[in-house]
């Protein structure tokens, strides 16, 4: 075999190998061919975390609206919640910008973890707004029921026909139910607002559940108190006496 023939074969072999590599590169995803493995994964990770951030920001905006309409929330609690919502919106907006500029999946995953652990929008912030409103409403209801009790007691004193032991027992139960409701939610607003976000979701959930349970208990106590008040009121109306009508 001549040197010229060997050279030609060598060139043909090199061309064939080059063609194989070219075909292989064309068959691979663009990011792999261009030497950028993981580009698709990075894009997907960014999209997922960005969607989570967008949803949380939307929720926080809705919570701001809800808080603005909750007229019975005490000023101190309102101030704390207003500051929290504004701070979280700023923080999550900044994190959204950070995610857009990340260059690795690991960095985006870290941002996703921060989105959850550092803010806890669904697990903690939303319950803070909802439960603070509920607790405020229950406190207000307890105060009103105390006034109702006093008014009914005064009417009974003026209406001998309605001033029965049964009605006195109902008023006593009313007072007991209101006291039970007060005891159930005593200090819960402060405890709720003091809760902080963090990586231990189970502990946060348990704390919120405890406060939510107390609010539910108080709500049931107040419903019983309302029922007592209605029975006494109806009894006074049914007597039809002058003293009852004047009350």
């Amino acid at each position: 075999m001549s040197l010229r023939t060997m050279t030609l074969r060598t060139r043909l072999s090199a061309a064939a190998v080059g063609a194989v590599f070219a075909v292989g590169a064309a068959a691979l995803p663009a990011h792999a061919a261009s030497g950028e493995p993981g580009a698709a994964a990075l894009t997907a990770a960014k999209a997922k975390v960005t969607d989570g951030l967008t949803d949380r920001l939307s929720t926080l905006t809705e919570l701001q609206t809800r808080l603005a309409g909750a007229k019975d929330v005490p000023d101190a609690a309102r101030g704390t919640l207003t500051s929290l919502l504004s701070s979280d919106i700023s923080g999550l907006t900044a994190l959204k910008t950070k995610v857009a500029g990340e260059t690795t999946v690991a960095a985006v995953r870290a941002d996703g973890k921060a989105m959850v652990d550092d803010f806890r929008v669904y697990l903690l912030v939303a319950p803070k707004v909802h439960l603070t409103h509920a607790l405020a409403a229950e406190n207000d209801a307890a105060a009103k029921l105390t006034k109702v009790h006093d008014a009914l007691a005064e009417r009974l004193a003026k209406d001998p026909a309605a001033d029965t032991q049964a009605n006195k027992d109902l008023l006593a139960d009313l007072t007991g139910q209101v006291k039970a409701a007060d005891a159930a939610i005593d200090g819960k607003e402060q405890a709720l607002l003091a809760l902080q976000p963090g990586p231990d979701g189970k502990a946060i959930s348990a704390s919120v559940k405890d406060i939510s349970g107390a609010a539910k208990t108080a709500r049931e106590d107040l419903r019983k108190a309302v029922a007592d008040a209605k029975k006494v009121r109806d009894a006074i109306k049914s007597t039809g006496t002058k003293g009852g009508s004047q009350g």
Side-chain angles (χ1 to χ4, degrees):
M1 183 182 297
S2 67
L3 179 61
R4 181 177 179 180
T5 301
M6 292 180 62
T7 301
L8 178 59
R9 288 182 176 180
T10 301
R11 289 177 180 176
L12 289 173
S13 297
V17 171
V20 170
F21 278 118
V23 171
L28 292 174
H31 63 80
S34 61
E36 298 178 8
L42 176 61
T43 298
K46 283 186 176 184
K48 183 176 181 179
V49 175
T50 298
D51 285 346
L53 288 164
T54 298
D55 289 344
R56 284 166 172 76
L57 286 168
S58 178
T59 296
L60 290 171
T61 300
E62 292 173 2
L63 290 171
Q64 285 182 320
T65 300
R66 182 180 180 88
L67 179 61
K71 303 304 181 184
D72 48 359
V73 172
D75 290 342
R78 183 183 301 279
T80 298
L81 290 172
T82 298
S83 177
L84 172 63
L85 293 173
S86 296
S87 175
D88 279 5
I89 287 174
S90 295
L92 288 172
T93 299
L95 187 58
K96 194 173 184 179
T97 300
K98 185 173 184 293
V99 169
E102 299 292 19
T103 58
T104 66
V105 172
V108 175
R109 287 175 178 169
D111 291 337
K113 189 173 188 304
M115 173 184 70
V116 175
D117 293 350
D118 296 352
F119 297 92
R120 292 293 180 182
V121 172
Y122 304 127
L123 191 64
L124 182 57
V125 180
K128 278 189 175 185
V129 175
H130 299 316
L131 282 174
T132 297
H133 186 197
L135 292 169
E138 290 171 353
N139 273 314
D140 186 53
K144 289 180 178 178
L145 281 166
T146 298
K147 293 181 179 179
V148 168
H149 168 278
D150 295 343
L152 289 172
E154 184 179 350
R155 291 183 68 180
L156 285 182
K158 296 178 180 179
D159 186 352
D163 192 18
T164 64
Q165 187 59 49
N167 285 331
K168 289 179 180 178
D169 289 345
L170 285 169
L171 286 183
D173 188 67
L174 187 160
T175 297
Q177 297 296 344
V178 170
K179 288 182 177 179
D182 281 336
I185 60 177
D186 183 42
K188 295 302 183 182
E189 176 193 293
Q190 292 81 0
L192 176 66
L193 295 178
L195 292 176
Q196 297 297 317
D200 194 343
K202 289 184 178 180
I204 295 172
S205 180
S207 296
V208 171
K209 186 176 180 180
D210 176 67
I211 297 170
S212 177
K216 182 178 179 180
T217 296
R219 184 166 62 251
E220 293 302 319
D221 292 334
L222 293 171
R223 284 175 177 170
K224 293 176 183 177
V226 169
D228 289 338
K230 287 181 178 179
K231 289 178 182 178
V232 175
R233 180 202 62 191
D234 291 344
I236 293 173
K237 287 183 177 181
S238 68
T239 62
T241 63
K242 184 177 179 180
S245 62
Q246 287 178 339

